[in-house]
Amino acid sequence: MTPSVLLYVQHLLGIGHARRAMHLAEAMLAEGMRVTVVSGGEPLPSFGIPDVVQLPPIKARDAGFKDLIDEAGEPVDDRLRETRRTALLAALAAARPDAVMLEAFPFGRRAFRFELDPLIEAARRRDPSALVLCSLRDIVVMPDDPHRQHDIVARVRADFDAVLVHGDPSLVRLEESFPPAAALAKRLIYTGYVAAPERVTEVTDGAGEVLVSAGGGAVGGALLATALAARRRGCLADLSWRLLAGPNLPQAEYAALVQDLPERVVLERYRVEFPQMLRHCRLSISQAGYNTVLDLLAARCPAVLVPFAAARETEQTLR
């Protein structure tokens, strides 16, 4: 019997969570599993995953992550919550999975309990032997509230069979960013790092260039503008520069960047071949998200990392 997995992912600003989820889905498909990916953020390319269920999207208004809005920019209301909850439970019923994998929850995505609590309950009720798993990057943002930390540990113990930590404990352990994880030792499974698979493609763009990237782009405007200002002042002006703004960079910021670009400077939204382009570039300038750092390590290119560290964001600085 072919094992099946329902993988839930909710990205709010960047696309790193979604990219990692798609890499996981690709790997499970390659092992012969049936995989249904349920995505709750803004629609993105499926990366070749055949079964993707797109929920009505919700995103964060800004880097504070406090205000959640729909695709029209309006605050999330009960009607949208009910629509998403119904669609998510329908996806569960159709997939009939042997395992439900939730990206980040309960370490993050607390605002989505309105649909995740019913999902876990329905999965257990449908098949008590089905696994409930948390898919978690190796470094998390530590909640300030000690009660919240206790709630996370209690929730994992009560409802999750395992926490799949996508990292290597010889490099960084989950306890370094979330000390209470020590109480979950028996449920922690380190999977190794989840990176883009090797792809044989004929990519010439990026060769010998300075490649500036901002991940999903929602909070990358300052990095791109600063890099462009450095180039205008003569920094590495003998090289061609290519700026990848990311699909979520606001259009107004993109339009401002494209004004009067210097010669030999290209601005693009997104390139699916980004990991391959890194292998040929002279220098990478980027944020320090999980996926980008792994792409850089695989490419072995010289790199300048500029961690996103607004508000309470500590993950990229530690990385």
Side-chain angles (χ1 to χ4, degrees):
M1 185 176 178
T2 303
S4 60
V5 178
L6 179 80
L7 172 54
Y8 169 100
V9 60
Q10 171 68 55
H11 58 284
L12 292 172
L13 273 180
I15 62 173
H17 293 280
R19 271 194 69 198
R20 185 168 57 251
M22 293 303 181
H23 294 333
L24 286 168
E26 281 187 306
M28 288 187 284
L29 286 168
E31 291 294 323
M33 301 181 187
R34 289 191 296 110
V35 182
T36 300
V37 176
V38 180
S39 176
E42 291 188 304
L44 294 170
S46 67
F47 300 97
I49 306 302
D51 194 357
V52 177
V53 176
Q54 175 66 54
L55 301 179
I58 291 177
K59 61 182 179 180
R61 188 183 299 277
D62 54 38
F65 293 99
K66 291 184 178 180
D67 296 327
L68 300 182
I69 56 177
D70 62 17
E71 57 186 337
E74 297 297 324
V76 172
D77 58 20
D78 287 341
R79 182 177 179 180
L80 177 58
R81 293 187 185 96
E82 178 59 31
T83 300
R84 282 178 52 115
R85 183 164 49 239
T86 300
L88 180 55
L89 294 178
L92 174 72
R96 301 181 61 81
D98 300 300
V100 173
M101 187 182 300
L102 307 180
E103 201 277 328
F105 188 77
F107 294 85
R109 304 298 182 257
R110 192 180 184 198
F112 292 85
R113 288 177 298 173
F114 68 88
E115 61 191 15
L116 296 179
D117 287 347
L119 175 66
I120 293 172
E121 181 181 349
R124 291 294 197 197
R125 186 171 58 248
R126 187 194 68 82
D127 180 2
S129 68
L131 298 175
V132 177
L133 308 170
C134 170
S135 169
L136 193 68
R137 71 186 179 200
D138 57 336
I139 301 172
V140 300
V141 177
M142 178 75 165
D144 294 328
D145 184 357
H147 295 293
R148 172 75 180 116
Q149 300 168 25
H150 176 269
D151 288 347
I152 292 171
V153 172
R155 188 64 190 272
V156 171
R157 283 175 167 168
D159 291 321
F160 287 78
D161 295 283
V163 178
L164 306 181
V165 183
H166 303 309
D168 183 340
S170 67
L171 179 62
V172 57
R173 300 188 66 84
L174 183 59
E175 293 92 324
E176 293 184 47
S177 58
F178 187 75
L184 299 172
K186 293 183 179 180
R187 282 182 169 84
L188 301 183
I189 299 175
Y190 287 87
T191 67
Y193 285 94
V194 178
E198 294 282 346
R199 302 188 193 277
V200 179
T201 55
E202 294 295 329
V203 178
T204 57
D205 289 345
E209 297 178 344
V210 176
L211 192 58
V212 185
S213 60
V219 293
L223 172 61
L224 296 166
T226 302
L228 194 53
R231 172 64 173 74
R232 286 194 171 108
R233 292 178 181 176
C235 179
L236 300 178
D238 58 322
L239 300 176
S240 296
W241 286 49
R242 187 180 301 270
L243 280 62
L244 301 181
N248 297 332
L249 183 75
Q251 182 56 37
E253 293 187 58
Y254 186 89
L257 289 171
V258 82
Q259 294 292 325
D260 301 320
L261 286 175
E263 292 186 7
R264 300 180 67 190
V265 175
V266 175
L267 175 66
E268 297 179 290
R269 272 287 183 184
Y270 180 74
R271 292 292 294 270
V272 70
E273 314 96 327
F274 174 65
Q276 288 74 42
M277 294 167 70
L278 285 174
R279 297 176 184 274
H280 308 297
C281 74
R282 181 71 65 84
L283 170 68
S284 166
I285 302 171
S286 71
Q287 293 180 327
Y290 181 104
N291 298 296
T292 300
V293 170
L294 289 176
D295 290 338
L296 290 168
L297 289 172
R300 297 173 180 250
C301 63
V304 176
L305 291 168
V306 185
F308 172 61
R312 293 180 53 251
E313 289 297 313
T314 57
E315 178 254 332
Q316 291 195 10
T317 301
L318 179 55
R319 188 172 304 288

